Each structure stands twice: as C-alpha cells, then as structure tokens.
C-alpha cells in the first residue's frame, strides 16, 4: 500500500520524475522490529494519549499529558511519536538514558535550555512543509534565519557547557546524537544565512521586505507605504 501511494504521488517507475519532486524524496529501509506495536485498543487501555472527544479530559488524564513538558510543537510531536512507538532496541534506549542523565544532573544548564532557547523555537516541521510546497512567505524565511543564526548557536553553547563537565559514554552520546548534527546543520546553512542577509531588508523589522534594489517595481512598491505614512503624519488632526 505504501509503494502504491508513492507511485501515485511520484508517478510510475518508467516515467521521469517531475521537476517539483526532484531531490525531495528518498527511500530508506526501516526496522519495525525496533519498536513495540501498539494498536488503538492498547493505547486507550493504558491512557496513552488524551481523549480528544472528551471535553472533561484534563491535561494529566493521559501519560502524554503527564510527561509533556515540551517547549515547542516539534517536541510535543516527537514525544507523541515515542509514546506511540516505544523503542525495543536496548542500545538506542541506553543512548536516550545517557543524554537524559547528563541533563538531569545539571539543573542550571537544563533550565537555561528549557526556559530560554527551546521556548522560542519556530515550528520547523511547519516551515519545512511550506518550503517544500513552495508557498512559504518572507516571514517564514526570516523565522528559519533566526533559528539558524540565533537558536542553533545558543543550543550549541548550552550543550557544550554540559559537555565541558561530562565524560565517558554519556558525553560521547550527547556529542554524536545532538551536538555534532547541530554543528553540521549550522555549517550547511551558512549559504542560506548569507542569502537572507543579502536579499532581505532586515532594517524594517518586524516587517520583512525584499531589498528594493533587486527590482525597480519592488522599489516603487516599497516606497508606497512610506509615502502614505508621511502624508498621514503631515495631515493635521481634525478637531472633534
């Protein structure tokens, strides 16, 4: 069924892939044996997730609600996925425990990450969908820019502070699983950051505009709101 759905989206194997799908999808083998299979009846029996149909259900009426201290929508989605698909792979479980153990023992660094950097993260899942569908707005581009230039360096600083006082397998796991991928992402977005700083006029924040020098029509369109504001400010107020 999954392959038939893929064929319906991308076309048959004999057809050349459409340009809009080029370099957007890839096939990967997954190991379902790494996860416990939970059907809806089992999930309901252990109150895994909140009953959306019940108006009286409280935030702590489910395991998800009790565990959910996430600071972003992405974190909530990942927590729900982990609860729906519990790991059976002991090595992968041990790696998660190593990272949790490191952060659990460092309250100040954990609080700085939780109440600072993580709290202000943009919804990257939503942004990635908008970018893939080519309907992202300028403000979406700017939010991604603030993540790559602000949030990622702040996350790395906080995690490196944890690593500075850690050693052994736990420190190596944190570096391999989180710090190294973030460093790679930061480096890969350097061209994107330069493009945003070159193309977008960041002096007009919170409004986001393309620099008018890129197009004469843009220059005229950009000047219109300024002219309207000048006229409005020069018009004397009519007494009541």
């Amino acid at each position: 069924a999954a392959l038939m759905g893929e064929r319906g989206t991308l076309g048959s194997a004999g057809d050349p892939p459409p340009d809009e799908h080029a370099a957007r999808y890839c096939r990967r083998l997954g190991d379902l044996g790494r996860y416990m299979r939970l059907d809806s009846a089992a999930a309901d029996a252990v109150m895994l997730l909140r009953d959306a149909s019940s108006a009286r259900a409280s935030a702590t009426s489910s395991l998800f609600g009790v565990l959910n201290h996430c600071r972003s929508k992405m974190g909530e989605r990942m927590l729900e996925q982990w609860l729906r698909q519990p790991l059976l792979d002991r090595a992968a479980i041990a790696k998660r425990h190593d990272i949790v153990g490191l952060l659990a023992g460092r309250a100040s660094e954990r609080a700085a990450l939780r109440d600072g950097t993580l709290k202000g993260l943009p919804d990257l899942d939503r942004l990635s969908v908008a970018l893939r569908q080519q309907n992202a707005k300028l403000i979406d581009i700017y939010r991604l820019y603030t993540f790559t230039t602000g949030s990622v360096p702040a996350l790395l600083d906080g995690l490196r502070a944890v690593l500075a006082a850690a050693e052994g397998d736990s420190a190596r796991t944190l570096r391999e699983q989180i710090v190294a991928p973030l460093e790679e992402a930061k480096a890969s977005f350097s061209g994107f950051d330069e493009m945003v700083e070159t193309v977008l006029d960041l002096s007009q924040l919170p409004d986001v505009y393309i620099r008018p020098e890129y197009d004469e029509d843009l220059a005229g369109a950009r000047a219109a709101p300024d002219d309207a504001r000048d006229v409005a400010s020069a018009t004397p107020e009519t007494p009541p």
Side-chain angles (χ1 to χ4, degrees):
L3 289 176
M4 290 300 294
E6 176 191 23
R7 179 174 179 177
T9 300
L10 302 181
S12 62
D15 298 332
D19 291 340
E20 66 266 22
H21 298 312
R24 192 179 298 176
Y25 301 97
C26 65
R27 296 186 181 94
R28 291 186 302 174
L29 289 176
D31 183 7
L32 294 179
R34 299 180 66 220
Y35 306 98
M36 181 185 298
R37 298 183 182 182
L38 291 177
D39 57 20
S40 298
D44 292 341
V46 298
M47 295 186 292
L48 194 65
L49 302 173
R50 181 182 178 185
D51 185 1
S53 63
S54 175
R56 297 183 178 180
S58 66
T60 57
S61 62
S62 65
L63 181 59
F64 174 83
V66 172
L67 296 177
N68 183 21
H69 296 280
C70 299
R71 288 296 190 261
S72 70
K73 292 295 184 181
M74 297 177 292
E76 291 183 354
R77 295 187 194 106
M78 177 172 286
L79 176 60
E80 181 176 344
Q81 178 184 346
W82 284 9
L83 291 176
R84 287 182 181 274
Q85 297 177 319
L87 271 177
L88 297 176
D89 187 330
R90 293 184 63 180
I93 293 172
K95 288 181 178 180
R96 289 183 183 176
H97 287 178
D98 286 343
I99 295 174
V100 171
L102 277 179
L103 294 173
R106 290 162 177 81
S108 60
E109 291 90 344
R110 186 179 71 250
L113 289 169
R114 182 190 61 209
D115 299 328
T117 309
L118 292 176
K119 194 173 182 179
L121 290 182
D123 190 342
L124 297 180
D125 294 332
R126 189 192 67 80
L127 289 179
S128 65
V129 171
L131 289 169
R132 285 198 302 268
Q133 295 178 348
Q134 299 182 7
N135 60 6
K137 299 178 175 60
L138 289 180
I139 189 62
D140 295 325
I141 303 298
Y142 175 71
R143 286 177 181 138
L144 183 57
Y145 169 79
T146 61
F147 171 76
T148 60
T149 60
S151 301
V152 171
L155 283 171
L156 285 172
D157 288 344
L159 293 171
R160 286 167 181 156
V162 175
L163 282 175
E167 58 184 12
D169 292 340
S170 297
R172 182 166 53 253
T173 299
L174 178 60
R175 169 163 290 281
E176 292 175 353
Q177 297 291 314
I178 299 181
V179 174
L182 279 175
E183 290 174 338
E184 183 179 347
K186 184 176 182 297
S188 66
F189 270 96
S190 60
F192 169 81
D193 297 338
E194 293 176 1
M195 180 199 70
V196 170
E197 292 166 357
T198 302
V199 175
L200 296 187
D201 185 358
L202 302 180
S203 66
Q204 302 297 321
L205 294 173
D207 297 324
V208 182
Y209 298 101
I210 295 177
R211 292 184 183 275
E213 55 263 30
Y214 278 87
D215 190 297
E216 294 182 359
D217 294 335
L218 286 176
R222 177 68 188 89
D226 293 338
D227 294 341
R229 279 193 290 268
D230 292 341
V231 171
S233 62
T235 302
E237 294 185 3
T238 302

